[in-house]
Amino acid sequence: MQKRIKKLIACLCCLAMMVPLCAIPASSDSEPAAEESSSDGDAPADEDDYAMDEDEPLITDEQAMAEMKLAVENDKLALWYNDKDITLALVDKNTGEIWWSNPINADASAGKAAQKQELKSGMTLIFGEPAARRTTQSHSKAKSTAKMKATATGLEVSYEFSQAEITIPVVFTLHDDYMSLNVVTKDIDEKTASKIVTDMAFMSAFGAADMEEEGYFVIPDGSGAVINFNNNKAGYRVYKGKVYGRDITAVNTTKPTMNRQVYLPMYGIVKGDSGMMVVADKGDTCASINAYVAGQKKTSYNACYFDFEIRTSDEYLMGGEANPLRVFEKRGILVPEIEVRYYPVSNSDKSEVDYTDIAATYRNYLKTAQGVEKSPAADSSALYMDFYGATMKRETVLGFPVTMQHKTTTFSDAKNILEQLKGLGVDNMVVNYNQWTTADIKEKVADKAKPASVLGGKSDFDALMDYAKSNNITIYPEVDNLTFKSGSGYFTMTDTAVRVSNAYSRQIEYDLAHGTENKFYKAMSLLSPRKYAKMFTNLSKSYSKYGLDTISLGSTTTAIYGDYGKKSISREMFKYNLQGYMEELKGSVPSILADGANAYVLKYVDHVSDVPLNSSKFDVFDGDIPFYQIVMSGLKPVSTTAVNGDAQVADLVLRAIACGSNLRFDFTAETADELKDTRYDVLYYSNYKYWLEDAAGCYKFAEEVLSQTAGAEITDYNILSEGEIETVYSNGVKTVVDLNGRTVTVNGKTISIYDYVGEEAIG
């Protein structure tokens, strides 16, 4: 009885803290809402609805397991099921932890009947009705007839939603060290064209924790974040992060929320000496990560799960209409398969699991399942930098306004910067050179290695590359063909991606003050994924012919989108095509730098630049972690966002060292006033003359530590006290970063950033 009273008090406390009128949405995207939708139990609950159900007895794991049947097992795992309740249990034999598909005490938990039905459901379906332009949400426990049976390798479950006239088969398979969930979309039975599947979520309460459990979720938002169970943040919206960012084919009329990218299609659950790493192996481009804590969804549980938007939608305004009309993808389901893998995580010594163990499990998945190999560059540290060649600027010539190429950092300027840095003691540099071809400067598709004459032409470019090769400097000439204007063999009338609404996708700039379209810049066409084959083939031939063996692909490694015209290509199809193009490219241009990297390109890149050290900082988060950097440690070298573009230089440098990240700077030869009214005006801080000595000092400070940790994996990362971070590497090196004292101790030797960089630069 006392146990129930304790739960009731905790539940009522969470309810009392709910402040929906001032809650901040915790969503990574600004997806349009449906014109009309219905759901099971999203309405606010009153205190009576939220009270624990005293009439329902609490049951133990042992009692629940007594009702289960063994489906299949191996040396590490066992899969059990109950074909009456349509539940399953994955047992980790190393720890004895039982991972339930649904909470066994859902009926006794707080919440209305609808919330309890959701907790007990194995699947949530959202189906659309194109004629009515609306969507409806249904939970399998309340709205479907489900059948479950054991097979030689696992389980088969069929969900039949009579209201939607849709049947969805799901297959669970037990593997050596994980369980997989698979849905082959061609097997989905949509009995009528008037009701179509738009979104699916499976086992949304898998591994859910009640209000007495301690632990947290690992969310790969930006660098990474944790959400503690029962963190008393019921007043905020649940977290929803679109994997790889939103589909930019649809164009928002107002500026979307600027959030960090979700680069990795996974999440983690940590519970004491047990953990779970969950990864979307297939269908990841249409996945979103959802997480909520006790009280947020009017239940007493904490849960994290994927949902998959397998048909995208768009909105448009008709003349005279105040509200936008929603339209759905017309050409069937363009996502061939969904696969989610569940990897139990534990330590052989039965010690507690933490997010470094989740990271190690995901890193091993990348190696074994995705073929990601260690980059040779991972064994050394370097100073990373971005040079910006030229851009278009409106000038006045003989009294007439003319848009001309405006040089920002010529090839001679770049060589001069590198020479000065070399003289200051920087002995290893990696350079990403932006806008170095005439086509790129003129905002056309750049698929040929032709140095721009405005920057010095072929002779100056060759001199720059020769100097770099002789001085341990690697230059990656960048191409970024995300948006374009007609020319160079590509035309906006035929090569622009088409939106679901059947309009061309024109990417607009947003006004910083109001978030509406900035008319100063013309809208740019989004290059159709259908044209990437031509673009990559031309790049491969041209770079190889020129003798270039390095390339940077700009937005290609972070932007994934579809084309929904007559020859539709979904994000998932584009992903597989892109992997093929990059495989082909590496045959002639073997080294690729990624300016940020989604998981599906990690196999093909050697460097990952511009990786943030923080998350989107949603209110439901309880802290940032360098999860991405920990995953990449010993695998791919990563660098920070621009150090000189940050207001807290010392803090960024020290946090980078704490997670083994290299430093990156932005450099231009022009001053801020010359960048005004160009697309480079955001680089007001980047003039190299003010930063060279400090950049060299920061590099040498970091090099003292990173030279000892490069190539090793991070095995432990601890916040010792406020401002102190301890990092342990697989080669035995241990570092302690003191953010307050601005020092780093590595293997007993303490160094201060003030010994390398002037206080006026770092504050």
Side-chain angles (χ1 to χ4, degrees):
M1 187 66 180
Q2 289 180 342
K3 183 177 180 181
R4 289 195 176 192
I5 292 173
K6 180 180 176 182
K7 283 190 175 183
L8 176 58
I9 292 172
C11 291
L12 292 176
C13 287
C14 284
L15 182 66
M17 295 180 67
M18 294 180 187
V19 285
L21 290 179
C22 61
I24 300 173
S27 173
S28 305
D29 302 285
S30 300
E31 297 292 343
E35 285 186 22
E36 180 181 337
S37 65
S38 61
S39 62
D40 301 319
D42 286 337
D46 58 33
E47 291 189 12
D48 291 334
D49 292 326
Y50 200 64
M52 302 295 292
D53 191 341
E54 293 288 341
D55 295 328
E56 287 292 336
L58 296 172
I59 63 173
T60 65
D61 283 346
E62 291 75 15
Q63 290 173 316
M65 286 297 292
E67 302 296 320
M68 307 289 282
K69 305 173 186 176
L70 179 64
V72 63
E73 66 178 330
N74 56 38
D75 292 341
K76 299 177 182 177
L77 306 172
L79 180 59
W80 296 74
Y81 72 105
N82 184 326
D83 53 1
K84 294 179 181 178
D85 291 339
I86 316 298
T87 60
L88 61 86
L90 180 63
V91 179
D92 182 354
K93 292 185 176 181
N94 184 46
T95 62
E97 180 75 20
I98 303 172
W99 294 89
W100 295 97
S101 61
N102 312 91
I104 59 176
N105 285 305
D107 283 327
S109 66
K112 293 169 61 175
Q115 278 91 33
K116 296 179 182 181
Q117 294 284 20
E118 181 178 356
L119 287 171
K120 296 190 292 181
S121 294
M123 179 183 175
T124 299
L125 169 70
I126 297 178
F127 64 92
E129 297 175 80
R133 293 191 172 89
R134 69 181 179 191
T135 58
T136 303
Q137 178 176 285
S138 296
H139 303 302
S140 63
K141 194 69 177 179
K143 300 293 184 179
S144 81
T145 301
K147 298 177 181 178
M148 175 182 279
K149 68 176 183 179
T151 67
T153 57
L155 296 166
E156 291 181 355
V157 186
S158 177
Y159 296 100
E160 183 175 351
F161 292 85
S162 56
Q163 175 192 10
E165 300 182 87
I166 293 169
T167 301
I168 300 172
V170 183
V171 176
F172 296 90
T173 304
L174 193 70
H175 302 264
D176 181 48
D177 57 350
Y178 69 94
M179 176 186 73
S180 65
L181 178 156
N182 288 79
V183 176
V184 178
T185 58
K186 68 180 179 59
D187 295 334
I188 294 175
D189 185 8
E190 297 172 321
K191 297 178 176 60
T192 172
S194 63
K195 295 176 181 178
I196 59 175
V197 179
T198 62
D199 194 287
M200 302 183 295
F202 306 95
M203 298 201 300
S204 60
F206 179 83
D210 65 29
M211 296 193 71
E212 293 190 345
E213 291 188 78
E214 294 183 356
Y216 54 87
F217 301 122
V218 179
I219 308 295
D221 181 289
S223 66
V226 296
I227 301 175
N228 293 328
F229 300 164
N230 311 309
N231 62 6
N232 293 326
K233 295 186 177 182
Y236 299 103
R237 296 282 296 275
V238 301
Y239 172 76
K240 186 179 182 69
K242 183 74 172 178
V243 174
Y244 310 142
R246 68 183 183 89
D247 189 336
I248 59 174
T249 310
V251 181
N252 296 66
T253 55
T254 58
K255 187 176 183 178
T257 306
M258 295 299 292
N259 297 316
R260 294 300 190 188
Q261 182 108 324
V262 178
Y263 297 103
L264 309 176
M266 55 75 61
Y267 63 87
I269 308 173
V270 174
K271 295 182 177 182
D273 65 352
S274 297
M276 181 68 62
M277 193 281 288
V278 185
V279 56
D281 184 76
K282 295 182 178 68
D284 46 321
T285 60
C286 63
S288 293
I289 301 170
N290 303 264
Y292 62 88
V293 296
Q296 280 189 310
K297 296 189 74 172
K298 318 300 188 294
T299 80
S300 52
Y301 282 94
N302 310 264
C304 191
Y305 63 95
F306 285 116
D307 76 272
F308 297 87
E309 184 188 35
I310 62 172
R311 272 193 180 91
T312 190
S313 60
D314 198 0
E315 293 185 343
Y316 67 96
L317 286 168
M318 293 188 68
E321 294 286 341
N323 297 316
L325 299 177
R326 169 174 275 202
V327 290
F328 300 98
E329 243 177 274
K330 308 180 189 69
R331 293 173 177 82
I333 299 173
L334 302 178
V335 181
E337 184 178 0
I338 290 170
E339 179 176 328
V340 182
R341 296 186 179 187
Y342 301 83
Y343 288 83
V345 181
S346 60
N347 292 316
S348 57
D349 60 1
K350 303 299 176 87
S351 60
E352 288 199 350
V353 168
D354 63 20
Y355 50 77
T356 59
D357 300 303
I358 301 294
T361 304
Y362 183 66
R363 187 192 306 121
N364 186 62
Y365 160 82
L366 289 175
K367 292 178 181 177
T368 58
Q370 296 297 317
V372 178
E373 298 179 349
K374 179 179 179 178
S375 168
D379 289 326
S380 61
S381 61
L383 179 65
Y384 286 67
M385 62 196 82
D386 271 54
F387 291 159
Y388 297 86
T391 186
M392 301 303 291
K393 185 176 182 179
R394 294 181 185 179
E395 307 275 6
T396 301
V397 178
L398 299 177
F400 295 96
V402 179
T403 302
M404 304 174 61
Q405 298 179 58
H406 181 80
K407 61 184 179 181
T408 306
T409 311
T410 67
F411 301 133
S412 294
D413 291 330
K415 183 170 177 287
N416 176 47
I417 293 171
L418 297 177
E419 287 173 337
Q420 290 191 55
L421 285 169
K422 188 75 174 178
L424 290 168
V426 182
D427 54 10
N428 191 7
M429 291 175 262
V430 176
V431 179
N432 186 38
Y433 208 132
N434 302 268
Q435 280 81 41
W436 66 285
T437 69
T438 301
D440 203 2
I441 296 167
K442 291 184 175 181
E443 300 174 336
K444 300 176 182 180
V445 173
D447 61 2
K448 293 179 176 61
K450 294 182 65 175
S453 57
V454 71
L455 299 178
K458 184 177 184 302
S459 60
D460 283 1
F461 180 78
D462 289 346
L464 169 64
M465 297 302 286
D466 289 342
Y467 175 79
K469 289 180 180 179
S470 303
N471 288 276
N472 200 28
I473 301 169
T474 310
I475 296 179
Y476 288 83
E478 187 193 72
V479 292
D480 195 338
N481 293 323
L482 185 69
T483 58
F484 74 106
K485 296 177 180 177
S486 287
S488 304
Y490 299 82
F491 305 99
T492 58
M493 291 297 294
T494 57
D495 301 331
T496 301
V498 176
R499 298 166 56 172
V500 171
S501 60
N502 215 34
Y504 286 125
S505 182
R506 309 291 191 195
Q507 303 294 301
I508 62 176
E509 295 283 344
Y510 296 95
D511 181 81
L512 292 176
H514 304 98
T516 54
E517 183 178 359
N518 186 341
K519 299 291 186 179
F520 182 81
Y521 298 105
K522 292 183 179 179
M524 298 279 287
S525 293
L526 182 66
L527 184 65
S528 170
R530 294 180 289 104
K531 293 299 173 180
Y532 273 65
K534 171 184 175 181
M535 186 256 289
F536 267 88
T537 298
N538 290 346
L539 283 174
S540 181
K541 292 179 179 178
S542 181
Y543 270 59
S544 179
K545 183 178 179 180
Y546 200 101
L548 295 174
D549 57 4
T550 58
I551 190 171
S552 172
L553 295 173
S555 302
T556 303
T557 54
T558 55
I560 191 80
Y561 56 94
D563 182 343
Y564 306 101
K566 293 182 179 179
K567 297 180 180 179
S568 294
I569 297 176
S570 67
R571 279 165 53 113
E572 187 77 355
M573 296 163 66
F574 184 26
K575 178 192 76 173
Y576 288 118
N577 290 345
L578 187 60
Q579 288 175 322
Y581 304 150
M582 294 187 73
E583 186 77 48
E584 175 190 350
L585 180 63
K586 279 191 74 71
S588 55
V589 187
S591 187
I592 299 175
L593 179 143
D595 191 8
N598 289 336
Y600 53 84
V601 302
L602 290 174
K603 179 180 178 180
Y604 311 100
V605 303
D606 296 285
H607 303 262
V608 184
S609 184
D610 202 33
V611 179
L613 291 172
N614 53 21
S615 71
S616 301
K617 295 187 178 298
F618 293 120
D619 289 290
V620 73
F621 291 170
D622 289 294
D624 293 345
I625 56 174
F627 187 80
Y628 191 98
Q629 289 84 353
I630 295 172
V631 169
M632 292 297 106
S633 64
L635 192 60
K636 306 286 181 181
V638 301
S639 73
T640 63
T641 51
V643 174
N644 53 338
D646 198 278
Q648 303 292 330
V649 171
D651 190 73
L652 188 151
V653 170
L654 289 162
R655 289 185 183 277
I657 293 172
C659 63
S661 174
N662 295 285
L663 306 177
R664 185 181 75 81
F665 286 78
D666 284 333
F667 287 134
T668 57
E670 290 285 5
T671 55
D673 59 314
E674 291 294 331
L675 304 180
K676 190 175 181 295
D677 295 331
T678 75
R679 295 188 188 274
Y680 285 168
D681 58 6
V682 294
L683 299 170
Y684 57 87
Y685 56 84
S686 61
N687 185 265
Y688 78 94
K689 294 178 182 178
Y690 301 104
W691 281 103
L692 284 190
E693 290 188 3
D694 295 322
C698 288
Y699 164 76
K700 287 187 283 188
F701 175 59
E703 172 70 4
E704 284 277 341
V705 181
L706 300 184
S707 61
Q708 301 180 59
T709 63
E713 298 174 354
I714 294 175
T715 58
D716 211 356
Y717 186 91
N718 300 305
I719 309 299
L720 298 179
S721 62
E722 187 175 351
E724 275 197 325
I725 304 170
E726 178 189 70
T727 311
V728 181
Y729 291 84
S730 58
N731 62 358
V733 174
K734 181 172 72 174
T735 67
V736 177
V737 170
D738 183 349
L739 298 174
N740 298 321
R742 297 186 174 178
T743 63
V744 180
T745 301
V746 53
N747 286 342
K749 179 184 177 182
T750 300
I751 56 175
S752 171
I753 192 171
Y754 293 121
D755 294 334
Y756 297 83
V757 186
E759 187 171 352
E760 68 280 358
I762 59 177

